[in-house]
Amino acid sequence: MVKAKTGIEPLAWRSVESLANVVYILAAGALWQHTDTVIWELSGAPMVIMYSLAVASWLWYWQLHLFEYDCGLAFGSTTLVSETAKASKPKLTSWKVGSRRWIRFPVHTAFFGMFFLLPTMTSDLLVLAVVLNVYNVVGSILYDKRLVATAGEPYLRYIDVTGLIFPPVYRCLKGAADIPMPSPAHWRKPSMHLPGLIVGLGLGALYYALIGARAVTPMDMLKAGGAGLLGAVVTGLLLGTVLKPRASDWAQQQTDLSTTVALNAATGVVTWATIGWIQTGTAPSFAAFLPLWFIVQYLGHVFAFLANRGKWSAALAEDGAATRPQAAEPVKQRAGSVAARLSSGGRA
């Protein structure tokens, strides 16, 4: 349906969605009107428990993207990079790993904890949590339909034994345990992603220098958008220059590269939040977390590829060279046969 109406491939549409989400969240954060109406306000042990669960939800959100998803495919940056490199369109591959054995969209599950499990809930934050998660559920349903159209019968079998956002404990305790699905290979050598962690620490310091310890006002949100864009350019170019391809095929190289960039993006936000917490006693506004994460993860991958297109496109050239001798082999055989026949006086 997306392709029929817009001409854009389903996977490429993720690029449009990601960029639209960044603009929407930045605009919403800049224009948001805070209220003093408190729905609930916890203190003592309940406050600590609730806040710990909220932080755990955010950390789970980043863990899911780093370990259970291919970030480049999830956000559409691999599609854009492939178009730039004139590579074949990336293929959607579902990994049977972690919570994805039971839930098709565990990232969307994390959203409930990220926005509802706040120790102090005001009426404006409650409206935000409700609106975002209604969008979250509707988006999951529509995305599920797109994947059925894209992946076909294998995905239908996956649907039968998994839940959309919550695990199907009422009908399939084992989830997708018995369905043959590939396992991810992007953490086969964890040390290759260490540069993303190191650069991410510097990225968090850059956020603190440009935004400050908190992001509350409309101007703060504009600063967050600018800091994210600058961070994507600087860290993307740096990682793309420093890193080396650790796989022989293009698709795995881009999965590895986008994972390192994603680790950098997540570490930058966590580092900035930690600095803000130490200085002020409260974390920066959650409204700034997602734009900073989206911008750096998406554009950082693109700039990492552009930092050295020749290096990151080498696998494509090698693939093309590998196929040419196979095509030429029959010609060599025919030439040898003709030479043999001529040397023997033309007899067959």
Side-chain angles (χ1 to χ4, degrees):
M1 180 177 176
V2 170
K3 185 176 181 180
K5 291 185 177 295
T6 65
I8 301 175
E9 295 287 341
L11 284 180
W13 184 253
R14 296 184 181 188
S15 299
V16 179
E17 288 180 318
S18 296
L19 295 177
N21 284 338
V22 168
V23 174
Y24 163 75
I25 293 171
L26 284 173
L31 299 174
W32 196 260
Q33 297 296 313
H34 296 280
T35 66
D36 296 325
T37 304
V38 177
I39 306 302
W40 67 72
E41 185 172 13
L42 304 179
S43 60
M47 178 194 71
V48 173
I49 293 172
M50 184 75 89
Y51 199 84
S52 298
L53 290 174
V55 171
S57 297
W58 279 93
L59 294 177
W60 184 38
Y61 170 85
W62 280 312
Q63 182 277 142
L64 289 168
H65 280 101
L66 291 172
F67 292 94
E68 299 189 22
Y69 281 85
D70 182 333
C71 270
L73 288 178
F75 286 90
S77 55
T78 298
T79 303
L80 180 56
V81 167
S82 298
E83 291 285 344
T84 304
K86 301 187 184 308
S88 59
K89 297 171 183 175
K91 296 180 180 179
L92 180 66
T93 302
S94 294
W95 295 332
K96 186 168 66 177
V97 58
S99 54
R100 295 183 71 185
R101 284 181 53 180
W102 294 274
I103 308 171
R104 297 196 292 284
F105 302 105
V107 166
H108 300 174
T109 312
F111 274 125
F112 285 90
M114 289 159 61
F115 293 98
F116 276 113
L117 298 180
L118 301 180
T120 299
M121 179 68 77
T122 58
S123 58
D124 61 301
L125 291 177
L126 183 59
V127 169
L128 176 64
V130 171
V131 170
L132 282 178
N133 279 288
V134 168
Y135 170 80
N136 179 29
V137 173
V138 173
S140 300
I141 295 171
L142 296 177
Y143 190 17
D144 212 33
K145 293 181 178 180
R146 284 216 313 272
L147 289 175
V148 169
T150 303
E153 179 61 30
Y155 191 73
L156 289 174
R157 292 197 297 271
Y158 182 54
I159 286 178
D160 288 339
V161 293
T162 55
L164 183 71
I165 296 178
F166 298 102
V169 293
Y170 55 90
R171 56 186 174 86
C172 188
L173 288 175
K174 295 194 302 181
D178 297 330
I179 294 182
M181 295 171 66
S183 298
H186 59 315
W187 284 93
R188 62 194 181 280
K189 190 174 182 182
S191 60
M192 69 180 173
H193 300 303
L194 185 60
L197 177 63
I198 296 172
V199 174
L201 295 174
L203 180 62
L206 176 66
Y207 290 160
Y208 176 74
L210 296 177
I211 308 170
R214 303 185 66 188
V216 178
T217 68
M219 183 56 67
D220 289 337
M221 294 304 297
L222 291 177
K223 289 180 181 179
L229 182 58
L230 179 61
V233 175
V234 173
T235 62
L237 292 176
L238 179 60
L239 289 172
T241 302
V242 171
L243 297 174
K244 297 179 181 179
R246 299 294 186 94
S248 59
D249 65 286
W250 162 264
Q252 186 62 55
Q253 284 182 10
Q254 294 310 308
T255 298
D256 295 341
L257 182 59
S258 65
T259 299
T260 304
V261 173
L263 179 60
N264 159 63
T267 302
V269 176
V270 172
T271 301
W272 175 55
T274 302
I275 294 173
W277 177 272
I278 292 173
Q279 182 174 349
T280 67
T282 59
S285 171
F286 286 166
F289 285 11
L290 288 178
L292 290 173
W293 155 253
F294 280 164
I295 293 171
V296 175
Q297 196 288 318
Y298 181 89
L299 291 180
H301 180 195
V302 175
F303 280 107
F305 168 76
L306 294 177
N308 192 331
R309 291 185 57 171
K311 176 174 65 177
W312 295 106
S313 299
L316 297 175
E318 291 173 3
D319 288 345
T323 59
R324 282 194 292 273
Q326 295 177 0
E329 188 62 30
V331 177
K332 292 181 180 179
Q333 292 176 356
R334 287 196 299 270
S337 176
V338 170
R341 287 170 62 188
L342 290 176
S343 64
S344 61
R347 294 186 300 273

